[in-house]
Amino acid sequence: MTRPLTNIPQAPTPPYPIAAKNIPIIAGFGRGSSELGIPTANVPVDKLPKEMLDLEQGVYFGFAKLNKINCTPKTEKRKDGKDVEYKFGNNLNEEEFKIYPQVMSIGWNPFYGNKEKAVEIHIIHSFSDTFYGANLNFNVLGYIRPELNYTTKEALIRDIEKDIEIGVEMLESEGYARYKDL
Ligand code: RBF
Ligand code: MG
């Protein structure tokens, strides 16, 4: 028996597992990769299953898998006016379409003072390119912590890195690894 890192149960308990399929990845603010070095797949809240919208703001973990879309690349303007290239996953390597652990943030990103609720998934893999326009299958298997405000970017990054460590540890454990099926 390994010592539990947190008070997270040893297997999903209701309302988990919650699964979402073929959710399109949209452009966020572009801060995840450029400012934090932690890219996230932003998903449209209105395309998510109701059980996911009922979750309180906070940080969660589960599994995720990208699906490539057969679509010609296009460029779209992000809210801040910056051009974003949608490649629909066609630029990624075949082996990058497998199931990875993920940590997910639901909330208003208090550190950045967002006005709208954002749901973003950090897939735990260093992808060879961007994944805008690809689709995402993912599940939510448990809760890690509430969304917090931070005084520095470094403190936010440190906590996300801790979330990743906790998420990976839980997902490798017997009670959660069984849900690696999307
Ligand atoms: N933003 C916050 O303001 N507070 C948080 O506690 C917080 N936790 C996060 C945890 C994870 C696992 C991830 C992936 C993101 C988190 N964020 C949080 C969101 C972060 O600010 C966001 O990913 C970047 O601003 C890029 O949109
Ligand atoms: Mg993002």
Side-chain angles (χ1 to χ4, degrees), residues 88-136:
F88 302 96
N90 289 285
N91 47 314
L92 295 170
N93 304 323
E94 279 317 311
E95 70 265 23
E96 295 186 294
F97 297 96
K98 66 173 198 178
I99 299 169
Y100 295 106
Q102 60 91 356
V103 281
M104 177 178 95
S105 149
I106 301 183
W108 281 263
N109 301 8
F111 181 70
Y112 287 101
N114 285 5
K115 303 244 158 17
E116 290 161 41
K117 187 173 183 174
V119 175
E120 15 178 352
I121 292 112
H122 171 66
I123 307 170
I124 304 172
H125 169 71
S126 178
F127 285 96
S128 58
D129 204 342
T130 59
F131 38 60
Y132 294 122
N135 275 5
L136 191 65

mmCIF file of all heavy atoms in Angstrom, residues 88-136:
data_model
loop_
_atom_site.group_PDB
_atom_site.id
_atom_site.type_symbol
_atom_site.label_atom_id
_atom_site.label_comp_id
_atom_site.label_asym_id
_atom_site.label_seq_id
_atom_site.Cartn_x
_atom_site.Cartn_y
_atom_site.Cartn_z
ATOM 1 N N PHE A 88 -6.724 21.227 -36.860
ATOM 2 C CA PHE A 88 -7.642 20.097 -36.643
ATOM 3 C C PHE A 88 -6.929 18.799 -36.300
ATOM 4 O O PHE A 88 -7.455 17.723 -36.523
ATOM 5 C CB PHE A 88 -8.556 19.925 -37.871
ATOM 6 C CG PHE A 88 -9.360 21.155 -38.183
ATOM 7 C CD1 PHE A 88 -8.937 22.074 -39.136
ATOM 8 C CD2 PHE A 88 -10.538 21.414 -37.493
ATOM 9 C CE1 PHE A 88 -9.665 23.232 -39.404
ATOM 10 C CE2 PHE A 88 -11.275 22.572 -37.741
ATOM 11 C CZ PHE A 88 -10.838 23.477 -38.705
ATOM 12 N N GLY A 89 -5.712 18.915 -35.813
ATOM 13 C CA GLY A 89 -4.978 17.726 -35.386
ATOM 14 C C GLY A 89 -4.217 17.034 -36.501
ATOM 15 O O GLY A 89 -3.500 16.070 -36.256
ATOM 16 N N ASN A 90 -4.346 17.537 -37.741
ATOM 17 C CA ASN A 90 -3.731 16.846 -38.870
ATOM 18 C C ASN A 90 -2.207 16.924 -38.885
ATOM 19 O O ASN A 90 -1.554 16.165 -39.582
ATOM 20 C CB ASN A 90 -4.300 17.377 -40.186
ATOM 21 C CG ASN A 90 -5.742 16.932 -40.362
ATOM 22 O OD1 ASN A 90 -5.997 15.777 -40.664
ATOM 23 N ND2 ASN A 90 -6.671 17.823 -40.103
ATOM 24 N N ASN A 91 -1.668 17.844 -38.099
ATOM 25 C CA ASN A 91 -0.226 18.062 -38.016
ATOM 26 C C ASN A 91 0.434 17.215 -36.934
ATOM 27 O O ASN A 91 1.639 17.200 -36.809
ATOM 28 C CB ASN A 91 -0.009 19.534 -37.704
ATOM 29 C CG ASN A 91 -0.919 19.987 -36.554
ATOM 30 O OD1 ASN A 91 -2.113 19.674 -36.555
ATOM 31 N ND2 ASN A 91 -0.376 20.632 -35.573
ATOM 32 N N LEU A 92 -0.377 16.532 -36.122
ATOM 33 C CA LEU A 92 0.184 15.758 -35.007
ATOM 34 C C LEU A 92 0.615 14.367 -35.478
ATOM 35 O O LEU A 92 0.165 13.889 -36.515
ATOM 36 C CB LEU A 92 -0.852 15.637 -33.882
ATOM 37 C CG LEU A 92 -1.251 16.958 -33.203
ATOM 38 C CD1 LEU A 92 -2.450 16.739 -32.285
ATOM 39 C CD2 LEU A 92 -0.087 17.556 -32.428
ATOM 40 N N ASN A 93 1.473 13.718 -34.700
ATOM 41 C CA ASN A 93 1.896 12.355 -35.030
ATOM 42 C C ASN A 93 0.791 11.367 -34.674
ATOM 43 O O ASN A 93 0.068 11.574 -33.708
ATOM 44 C CB ASN A 93 3.151 11.971 -34.232
ATOM 45 C CG ASN A 93 4.280 12.962 -34.460
ATOM 46 O OD1 ASN A 93 4.462 13.462 -35.566
ATOM 47 N ND2 ASN A 93 5.011 13.264 -33.404
ATOM 48 N N GLU A 94 0.717 10.303 -35.433
ATOM 49 C CA GLU A 94 -0.318 9.274 -35.191
ATOM 50 C C GLU A 94 -0.328 8.796 -33.741
ATOM 51 O O GLU A 94 -1.377 8.577 -33.149
ATOM 52 C CB GLU A 94 -0.117 8.071 -36.121
ATOM 53 C CG GLU A 94 -0.665 8.251 -37.527
ATOM 54 C CD GLU A 94 -2.046 8.914 -37.602
ATOM 55 O OE1 GLU A 94 -2.956 8.476 -36.868
ATOM 56 O OE2 GLU A 94 -2.192 9.871 -38.389
ATOM 57 N N GLU A 95 0.876 8.645 -33.166
ATOM 58 C CA GLU A 95 0.924 8.082 -31.800
ATOM 59 C C GLU A 95 0.445 9.082 -30.744
ATOM 60 O O GLU A 95 0.325 8.726 -29.576
ATOM 61 C CB GLU A 95 2.324 7.534 -31.470
ATOM 62 C CG GLU A 95 3.387 8.578 -31.301
ATOM 63 C CD GLU A 95 4.167 8.805 -32.611
ATOM 64 O OE1 GLU A 95 3.633 8.507 -33.705
ATOM 65 O OE2 GLU A 95 5.312 9.269 -32.524
ATOM 66 N N GLU A 96 0.152 10.317 -31.163
ATOM 67 C CA GLU A 96 -0.328 11.309 -30.189
ATOM 68 C C GLU A 96 -1.855 11.262 -30.008
ATOM 69 O O GLU A 96 -2.415 12.028 -29.246
ATOM 70 C CB GLU A 96 0.148 12.711 -30.588
ATOM 71 C CG GLU A 96 1.655 12.814 -30.521
ATOM 72 C CD GLU A 96 2.199 14.208 -30.766
ATOM 73 O OE1 GLU A 96 2.045 14.716 -31.895
ATOM 74 O OE2 GLU A 96 2.770 14.792 -29.836
ATOM 75 N N PHE A 97 -2.501 10.345 -30.711
ATOM 76 C CA PHE A 97 -3.954 10.187 -30.562
ATOM 77 C C PHE A 97 -4.294 9.054 -29.608
ATOM 78 O O PHE A 97 -5.221 8.295 -29.810
ATOM 79 C CB PHE A 97 -4.614 9.988 -31.932
ATOM 80 C CG PHE A 97 -4.440 11.192 -32.805
ATOM 81 C CD1 PHE A 97 -3.409 11.263 -33.726
ATOM 82 C CD2 PHE A 97 -5.276 12.288 -32.661
ATOM 83 C CE1 PHE A 97 -3.215 12.396 -34.503
ATOM 84 C CE2 PHE A 97 -5.099 13.426 -33.426
ATOM 85 C CZ PHE A 97 -4.066 13.479 -34.349
ATOM 86 N N LYS A 98 -3.462 8.912 -28.591
ATOM 87 C CA LYS A 98 -3.761 7.872 -27.599
ATOM 88 C C LYS A 98 -4.327 8.506 -26.327
ATOM 89 O O LYS A 98 -4.469 9.731 -26.241
ATOM 90 C CB LYS A 98 -2.519 7.037 -27.329
ATOM 91 C CG LYS A 98 -1.402 7.784 -26.661
ATOM 92 C CD LYS A 98 -0.287 6.806 -26.287
ATOM 93 C CE LYS A 98 0.608 7.443 -25.245
ATOM 94 N NZ LYS A 98 1.676 6.588 -24.787
ATOM 95 N N ILE A 99 -4.656 7.691 -25.362
ATOM 96 C CA ILE A 99 -5.267 8.197 -24.135
ATOM 97 C C ILE A 99 -4.173 8.621 -23.149
ATOM 98 O O ILE A 99 -3.268 7.841 -22.847
ATOM 99 C CB ILE A 99 -6.182 7.121 -23.512
ATOM 100 C CG1 ILE A 99 -7.303 6.760 -24.503
ATOM 101 C CG2 ILE A 99 -6.766 7.601 -22.185
ATOM 102 C CD1 ILE A 99 -8.114 5.539 -24.123
ATOM 103 N N TYR A 100 -4.278 9.860 -22.678
ATOM 104 C CA TYR A 100 -3.326 10.414 -21.720
ATOM 105 C C TYR A 100 -4.073 10.817 -20.443
ATOM 106 O O TYR A 100 -5.272 11.103 -20.483
ATOM 107 C CB TYR A 100 -2.663 11.672 -22.285
ATOM 108 C CG TYR A 100 -1.797 11.446 -23.492
ATOM 109 C CD1 TYR A 100 -2.224 11.826 -24.763
ATOM 110 C CD2 TYR A 100 -0.534 10.864 -23.362
ATOM 111 C CE1 TYR A 100 -1.421 11.635 -25.879
ATOM 112 C CE2 TYR A 100 0.277 10.675 -24.481
ATOM 113 C CZ TYR A 100 -0.178 11.055 -25.727
ATOM 114 O OH TYR A 100 0.623 10.861 -26.829
ATOM 115 N N PRO A 101 -3.344 10.917 -19.335
ATOM 116 C CA PRO A 101 -3.952 11.530 -18.155
ATOM 117 C C PRO A 101 -4.172 13.024 -18.396
ATOM 118 O O PRO A 101 -3.458 13.628 -19.217
ATOM 119 C CB PRO A 101 -2.915 11.312 -17.049
ATOM 120 C CG PRO A 101 -1.676 10.840 -17.694
ATOM 121 C CD PRO A 101 -1.968 10.461 -19.103
ATOM 122 N N GLN A 102 -5.155 13.585 -17.723
ATOM 123 C CA GLN A 102 -5.392 15.025 -17.867
ATOM 124 C C GLN A 102 -5.730 15.645 -16.518
ATOM 125 O O GLN A 102 -6.262 14.960 -15.632
ATOM 126 C CB GLN A 102 -6.520 15.286 -18.878
ATOM 127 C CG GLN A 102 -7.887 14.685 -18.543
ATOM 128 C CD GLN A 102 -8.812 15.597 -17.741
ATOM 129 O OE1 GLN A 102 -8.433 16.692 -17.350
ATOM 130 N NE2 GLN A 102 -10.030 15.142 -17.484
ATOM 131 N N VAL A 103 -5.444 16.938 -16.371
ATOM 132 C CA VAL A 103 -5.957 17.720 -15.246
ATOM 133 C C VAL A 103 -6.741 18.885 -15.826
ATOM 134 O O VAL A 103 -6.328 19.492 -16.817
ATOM 135 C CB VAL A 103 -4.848 18.222 -14.280
ATOM 136 C CG1 VAL A 103 -4.396 17.117 -13.350
ATOM 137 C CG2 VAL A 103 -3.665 18.795 -15.046
ATOM 138 N N MET A 104 -7.876 19.161 -15.212
ATOM 139 C CA MET A 104 -8.835 20.088 -15.801
ATOM 140 C C MET A 104 -9.169 21.211 -14.829
ATOM 141 O O MET A 104 -9.307 20.984 -13.633
ATOM 142 C CB MET A 104 -10.096 19.292 -16.118
ATOM 143 C CG MET A 104 -11.232 20.093 -16.661
ATOM 144 S SD MET A 104 -12.616 19.003 -17.046
ATOM 145 C CE MET A 104 -13.555 19.143 -15.579
ATOM 146 N N SER A 105 -9.297 22.406 -15.356
ATOM 147 C CA SER A 105 -9.686 23.550 -14.536
ATOM 148 C C SER A 105 -11.065 24.031 -14.963
ATOM 149 O O SER A 105 -11.334 24.213 -16.145
ATOM 150 C CB SER A 105 -8.628 24.647 -14.706
ATOM 151 O OG SER A 105 -9.168 25.930 -14.570
ATOM 152 N N ILE A 106 -11.957 24.184 -13.990
ATOM 153 C CA ILE A 106 -13.273 24.770 -14.245
ATOM 154 C C ILE A 106 -13.352 26.031 -13.411
ATOM 155 O O ILE A 106 -13.187 25.977 -12.189
ATOM 156 C CB ILE A 106 -14.430 23.840 -13.802
ATOM 157 C CG1 ILE A 106 -14.377 22.504 -14.525
ATOM 158 C CG2 ILE A 106 -15.781 24.525 -14.030
ATOM 159 C CD1 ILE A 106 -15.542 21.578 -14.173
ATOM 160 N N GLY A 107 -13.572 27.146 -14.061
ATOM 161 C CA GLY A 107 -13.719 28.342 -13.243
ATOM 162 C C GLY A 107 -13.471 29.622 -13.984
ATOM 163 O O GLY A 107 -13.434 29.650 -15.215
ATOM 164 N N TRP A 108 -13.238 30.654 -13.222
ATOM 165 C CA TRP A 108 -13.119 31.996 -13.792
ATOM 166 C C TRP A 108 -11.668 32.452 -13.818
ATOM 167 O O TRP A 108 -11.399 33.622 -14.020
ATOM 168 C CB TRP A 108 -13.982 32.965 -12.979
ATOM 169 C CG TRP A 108 -15.421 32.851 -13.341
ATOM 170 C CD1 TRP A 108 -16.088 33.666 -14.222
ATOM 171 C CD2 TRP A 108 -16.379 31.903 -12.887
ATOM 172 N NE1 TRP A 108 -17.390 33.260 -14.332
ATOM 173 C CE2 TRP A 108 -17.603 32.190 -13.535
ATOM 174 C CE3 TRP A 108 -16.323 30.819 -12.000
ATOM 175 C CZ2 TRP A 108 -18.763 31.443 -13.309
ATOM 176 C CZ3 TRP A 108 -17.471 30.075 -11.789
ATOM 177 C CH2 TRP A 108 -18.672 30.389 -12.437
ATOM 178 N N ASN A 109 -10.743 31.506 -13.587
ATOM 179 C CA ASN A 109 -9.319 31.844 -13.557
ATOM 180 C C ASN A 109 -9.083 33.140 -12.777
ATOM 181 O O ASN A 109 -8.672 34.144 -13.347
ATOM 182 C CB ASN A 109 -8.749 31.993 -14.973
ATOM 183 C CG ASN A 109 -8.908 30.730 -15.802
ATOM 184 O OD1 ASN A 109 -9.570 29.778 -15.375
ATOM 185 N ND2 ASN A 109 -8.321 30.698 -16.961
ATOM 186 N N PRO A 110 -9.372 33.134 -11.475
ATOM 187 C CA PRO A 110 -9.288 34.373 -10.694
ATOM 188 C C PRO A 110 -7.969 35.112 -10.877
ATOM 189 O O PRO A 110 -7.943 36.333 -10.863
ATOM 190 C CB PRO A 110 -9.478 33.898 -9.243
ATOM 191 C CG PRO A 110 -9.384 32.411 -9.270
ATOM 192 C CD PRO A 110 -9.756 31.995 -10.645
ATOM 193 N N PHE A 111 -6.896 34.358 -11.100
ATOM 194 C CA PHE A 111 -5.594 35.010 -11.278
ATOM 195 C C PHE A 111 -5.619 35.957 -12.473
ATOM 196 O O PHE A 111 -4.945 36.973 -12.491
ATOM 197 C CB PHE A 111 -4.489 33.950 -11.449
ATOM 198 C CG PHE A 111 -3.111 34.541 -11.608
ATOM 199 C CD1 PHE A 111 -2.479 35.173 -10.544
ATOM 200 C CD2 PHE A 111 -2.445 34.464 -12.822
ATOM 201 C CE1 PHE A 111 -1.215 35.722 -10.692
ATOM 202 C CE2 PHE A 111 -1.169 35.010 -12.979
ATOM 203 C CZ PHE A 111 -0.552 35.638 -11.906
ATOM 204 N N TYR A 112 -6.423 35.632 -13.476
ATOM 205 C CA TYR A 112 -6.496 36.459 -14.676
ATOM 206 C C TYR A 112 -7.788 37.267 -14.748
ATOM 207 O O TYR A 112 -8.009 38.025 -15.691
ATOM 208 C CB TYR A 112 -6.359 35.586 -15.929
ATOM 209 C CG TYR A 112 -4.960 35.085 -16.135
ATOM 210 C CD1 TYR A 112 -4.609 33.782 -15.794
ATOM 211 C CD2 TYR A 112 -3.970 35.910 -16.647
ATOM 212 C CE1 TYR A 112 -3.320 33.314 -15.958
ATOM 213 C CE2 TYR A 112 -2.674 35.461 -16.824
ATOM 214 C CZ TYR A 112 -2.356 34.163 -16.484
ATOM 215 O OH TYR A 112 -1.076 33.710 -16.649
ATOM 216 N N GLY A 113 -8.679 37.093 -13.752
ATOM 217 C CA GLY A 113 -9.914 37.882 -13.705
ATOM 218 C C GLY A 113 -10.820 37.699 -14.914
ATOM 219 O O GLY A 113 -11.416 38.658 -15.406
ATOM 220 N N ASN A 114 -10.941 36.451 -15.394
ATOM 221 C CA ASN A 114 -11.842 36.191 -16.532
ATOM 222 C C ASN A 114 -13.280 36.585 -16.209
ATOM 223 O O ASN A 114 -13.707 36.507 -15.072
ATOM 224 C CB ASN A 114 -11.833 34.704 -16.881
ATOM 225 C CG ASN A 114 -10.566 34.293 -17.603
ATOM 226 O OD1 ASN A 114 -9.652 35.088 -17.773
ATOM 227 N ND2 ASN A 114 -10.514 33.036 -18.011
ATOM 228 N N LYS A 115 -14.038 36.928 -17.247
ATOM 229 C CA LYS A 115 -15.449 37.302 -17.062
ATOM 230 C C LYS A 115 -16.375 36.097 -17.294
ATOM 231 O O LYS A 115 -17.514 36.095 -16.872
ATOM 232 C CB LYS A 115 -15.833 38.413 -18.036
ATOM 233 C CG LYS A 115 -14.946 39.643 -17.901
ATOM 234 C CD LYS A 115 -15.718 40.847 -17.441
ATOM 235 C CE LYS A 115 -14.857 41.916 -16.789
ATOM 236 N NZ LYS A 115 -13.399 41.848 -17.029
ATOM 237 N N GLU A 116 -15.896 35.106 -18.006
ATOM 238 C CA GLU A 116 -16.742 33.944 -18.306
ATOM 239 C C GLU A 116 -16.133 32.687 -17.717
ATOM 240 O O GLU A 116 -14.919 32.571 -17.603
ATOM 241 C CB GLU A 116 -16.851 33.744 -19.821
ATOM 242 C CG GLU A 116 -17.668 34.807 -20.519
ATOM 243 C CD GLU A 116 -17.375 34.836 -22.008
ATOM 244 O OE1 GLU A 116 -17.238 33.749 -22.605
ATOM 245 O OE2 GLU A 116 -17.284 35.947 -22.557
ATOM 246 N N LYS A 117 -16.995 31.738 -17.412
ATOM 247 C CA LYS A 117 -16.545 30.450 -16.910
ATOM 248 C C LYS A 117 -15.765 29.751 -18.025
ATOM 249 O O LYS A 117 -16.221 29.682 -19.158
ATOM 250 C CB LYS A 117 -17.755 29.622 -16.522
ATOM 251 C CG LYS A 117 -17.432 28.316 -15.839
ATOM 252 C CD LYS A 117 -18.716 27.688 -15.363
ATOM 253 C CE LYS A 117 -18.461 26.410 -14.601
ATOM 254 N NZ LYS A 117 -19.704 25.895 -14.027
ATOM 255 N N ALA A 118 -14.606 29.235 -17.686
ATOM 256 C CA ALA A 118 -13.795 28.532 -18.675
ATOM 257 C C ALA A 118 -13.575 27.100 -18.218
ATOM 258 O O ALA A 118 -13.391 26.837 -17.032
ATOM 259 C CB ALA A 118 -12.462 29.237 -18.852
ATOM 260 N N VAL A 119 -13.639 26.180 -19.162
ATOM 261 C CA VAL A 119 -13.290 24.792 -18.890
ATOM 262 C C VAL A 119 -12.090 24.477 -19.767
ATOM 263 O O VAL A 119 -12.153 24.601 -20.987
ATOM 264 C CB VAL A 119 -14.470 23.839 -19.192
ATOM 265 C CG1 VAL A 119 -14.054 22.394 -19.014
ATOM 266 C CG2 VAL A 119 -15.667 24.167 -18.303
ATOM 267 N N GLU A 120 -10.979 24.146 -19.139
ATOM 268 C CA GLU A 120 -9.777 23.839 -19.914
ATOM 269 C C GLU A 120 -9.096 22.598 -19.394
ATOM 270 O O GLU A 120 -9.053 22.362 -18.198
ATOM 271 C CB GLU A 120 -8.785 24.993 -19.965
ATOM 272 C CG GLU A 120 -8.977 26.081 -18.990
ATOM 273 C CD GLU A 120 -7.898 27.140 -19.098
ATOM 274 O OE1 GLU A 120 -6.912 26.967 -19.825
ATOM 275 O OE2 GLU A 120 -8.054 28.141 -18.410
ATOM 276 N N ILE A 121 -8.584 21.840 -20.343
ATOM 277 C CA ILE A 121 -7.986 20.556 -20.026
ATOM 278 C C ILE A 121 -6.508 20.580 -20.388
ATOM 279 O O ILE A 121 -6.151 20.881 -21.528
ATOM 280 C CB ILE A 121 -8.717 19.434 -20.809
ATOM 281 C CG1 ILE A 121 -10.143 19.299 -20.271
ATOM 282 C CG2 ILE A 121 -8.016 18.083 -20.686
ATOM 283 C CD1 ILE A 121 -11.171 19.708 -21.229
ATOM 284 N N HIS A 122 -5.677 20.290 -19.406
ATOM 285 C CA HIS A 122 -4.252 20.130 -19.698
ATOM 286 C C HIS A 122 -4.002 18.639 -19.883
ATOM 287 O O HIS A 122 -4.072 17.856 -18.927
ATOM 288 C CB HIS A 122 -3.385 20.687 -18.571
ATOM 289 C CG HIS A 122 -1.943 20.336 -18.737
ATOM 290 N ND1 HIS A 122 -1.175 20.827 -19.778
ATOM 291 C CD2 HIS A 122 -1.130 19.507 -18.037
ATOM 292 C CE1 HIS A 122 0.048 20.315 -19.695
ATOM 293 N NE2 HIS A 122 0.098 19.503 -18.657
ATOM 294 N N ILE A 123 -3.724 18.244 -21.125
ATOM 295 C CA ILE A 123 -3.437 16.847 -21.422
ATOM 296 C C ILE A 123 -1.968 16.611 -21.085
ATOM 297 O O ILE A 123 -1.102 17.391 -21.507
ATOM 298 C CB ILE A 123 -3.712 16.534 -22.909
ATOM 299 C CG1 ILE A 123 -5.136 16.966 -23.286
ATOM 300 C CG2 ILE A 123 -3.497 15.046 -23.199
ATOM 301 C CD1 ILE A 123 -5.413 16.915 -24.783
ATOM 302 N N ILE A 124 -1.705 15.569 -20.301
ATOM 303 C CA ILE A 124 -0.342 15.382 -19.799
ATOM 304 C C ILE A 124 0.511 14.632 -20.821
ATOM 305 O O ILE A 124 0.682 13.420 -20.778
ATOM 306 C CB ILE A 124 -0.365 14.731 -18.396
ATOM 307 C CG1 ILE A 124 -1.237 15.620 -17.477
ATOM 308 C CG2 ILE A 124 1.044 14.589 -17.831
ATOM 309 C CD1 ILE A 124 -1.527 15.047 -16.119
ATOM 310 N N HIS A 125 0.975 15.403 -21.774
ATOM 311 C CA HIS A 125 1.849 14.929 -22.841
ATOM 312 C C HIS A 125 2.393 16.180 -23.517
ATOM 313 O O HIS A 125 1.672 17.165 -23.639
ATOM 314 C CB HIS A 125 1.068 14.087 -23.862
ATOM 315 C CG HIS A 125 1.852 13.785 -25.106
ATOM 316 N ND1 HIS A 125 2.903 12.905 -25.090
ATOM 317 C CD2 HIS A 125 1.767 14.259 -26.371
ATOM 318 C CE1 HIS A 125 3.425 12.838 -26.324
ATOM 319 N NE2 HIS A 125 2.746 13.660 -27.108
ATOM 320 N N SER A 126 3.631 16.133 -23.961
ATOM 321 C CA SER A 126 4.201 17.276 -24.655
ATOM 322 C C SER A 126 3.940 17.104 -26.152
ATOM 323 O O SER A 126 4.650 16.377 -26.835
ATOM 324 C CB SER A 126 5.691 17.327 -24.329
ATOM 325 O OG SER A 126 6.267 18.381 -25.026
ATOM 326 N N PHE A 127 2.880 17.750 -26.661
ATOM 327 C CA PHE A 127 2.474 17.559 -28.056
ATOM 328 C C PHE A 127 3.440 18.239 -29.020
ATOM 329 O O PHE A 127 4.032 19.269 -28.703
ATOM 330 C CB PHE A 127 1.047 18.070 -28.275
ATOM 331 C CG PHE A 127 0.009 17.145 -27.714
ATOM 332 C CD1 PHE A 127 -0.521 17.347 -26.452
ATOM 333 C CD2 PHE A 127 -0.401 16.026 -28.442
ATOM 334 C CE1 PHE A 127 -1.451 16.471 -25.919
ATOM 335 C CE2 PHE A 127 -1.336 15.145 -27.921
ATOM 336 C CZ PHE A 127 -1.857 15.369 -26.663
ATOM 337 N N SER A 128 3.570 17.647 -30.215
ATOM 338 C CA SER A 128 4.523 18.143 -31.202
ATOM 339 C C SER A 128 4.037 19.431 -31.866
ATOM 340 O O SER A 128 4.822 20.124 -32.501
ATOM 341 C CB SER A 128 4.780 17.061 -32.249
ATOM 342 O OG SER A 128 3.555 16.700 -32.867
ATOM 343 N N ASP A 129 2.753 19.770 -31.719
ATOM 344 C CA ASP A 129 2.211 20.981 -32.343
ATOM 345 C C ASP A 129 0.893 21.348 -31.651
ATOM 346 O O ASP A 129 0.457 20.637 -30.747
ATOM 347 C CB ASP A 129 1.979 20.727 -33.848
ATOM 348 C CG ASP A 129 1.992 22.020 -34.669
ATOM 349 O OD1 ASP A 129 1.846 23.123 -34.089
ATOM 350 O OD2 ASP A 129 2.130 21.920 -35.905
ATOM 351 N N THR A 130 0.254 22.409 -32.115
ATOM 352 C CA THR A 130 -1.014 22.835 -31.502
ATOM 353 C C THR A 130 -2.133 21.872 -31.886
ATOM 354 O O THR A 130 -2.014 21.114 -32.855
ATOM 355 C CB THR A 130 -1.399 24.243 -31.985
ATOM 356 O OG1 THR A 130 -1.513 24.218 -33.410
ATOM 357 C CG2 THR A 130 -0.370 25.269 -31.556
ATOM 358 N N PHE A 131 -3.243 21.922 -31.117
ATOM 359 C CA PHE A 131 -4.370 21.014 -31.415
ATOM 360 C C PHE A 131 -5.681 21.758 -31.607
ATOM 361 O O PHE A 131 -6.752 21.171 -31.472
ATOM 362 C CB PHE A 131 -4.482 19.913 -30.358
ATOM 363 C CG PHE A 131 -4.199 20.343 -28.933
ATOM 364 C CD1 PHE A 131 -4.964 21.332 -28.333
ATOM 365 C CD2 PHE A 131 -3.176 19.748 -28.210
ATOM 366 C CE1 PHE A 131 -4.712 21.724 -27.028
ATOM 367 C CE2 PHE A 131 -2.909 20.141 -26.891
ATOM 368 C CZ PHE A 131 -3.684 21.129 -26.302
ATOM 369 N N TYR A 132 -5.646 23.033 -31.952
ATOM 370 C CA TYR A 132 -6.890 23.769 -32.199
ATOM 371 C C TYR A 132 -7.700 23.086 -33.298
ATOM 372 O O TYR A 132 -7.169 22.708 -34.336
ATOM 373 C CB TYR A 132 -6.607 25.210 -32.654
ATOM 374 C CG TYR A 132 -5.954 26.064 -31.613
ATOM 375 C CD1 TYR A 132 -4.725 26.663 -31.861
ATOM 376 C CD2 TYR A 132 -6.554 26.267 -30.376
ATOM 377 C CE1 TYR A 132 -4.113 27.462 -30.907
ATOM 378 C CE2 TYR A 132 -5.943 27.053 -29.411
ATOM 379 C CZ TYR A 132 -4.725 27.650 -29.688
ATOM 380 O OH TYR A 132 -4.125 28.428 -28.742
ATOM 381 N N GLY A 133 -8.981 22.925 -33.055
ATOM 382 C CA GLY A 133 -9.868 22.354 -34.062
ATOM 383 C C GLY A 133 -9.999 20.843 -33.967
ATOM 384 O O GLY A 133 -10.932 20.272 -34.510
ATOM 385 N N ALA A 134 -9.055 20.193 -33.282
ATOM 386 C CA ALA A 134 -9.208 18.748 -33.066
ATOM 387 C C ALA A 134 -10.352 18.556 -32.071
ATOM 388 O O ALA A 134 -10.797 19.503 -31.426
ATOM 389 C CB ALA A 134 -7.919 18.158 -32.513
ATOM 390 N N ASN A 135 -10.852 17.341 -31.961
ATOM 391 C CA ASN A 135 -11.891 17.033 -30.979
ATOM 392 C C ASN A 135 -11.284 16.303 -29.798
ATOM 393 O O ASN A 135 -10.224 15.694 -29.917
ATOM 394 C CB ASN A 135 -12.968 16.146 -31.591
ATOM 395 C CG ASN A 135 -14.012 16.972 -32.312
ATOM 396 O OD1 ASN A 135 -13.880 18.192 -32.424
ATOM 397 N ND2 ASN A 135 -15.033 16.312 -32.803
ATOM 398 N N LEU A 136 -12.007 16.345 -28.701
ATOM 399 C CA LEU A 136 -11.493 15.752 -27.478
ATOM 400 C C LEU A 136 -12.523 14.825 -26.850
ATOM 401 O O LEU A 136 -13.684 15.193 -26.694
ATOM 402 C CB LEU A 136 -11.160 16.896 -26.503
ATOM 403 C CG LEU A 136 -10.366 16.565 -25.260
ATOM 404 C CD1 LEU A 136 -8.964 16.085 -25.623
ATOM 405 C CD2 LEU A 136 -10.262 17.801 -24.364
#
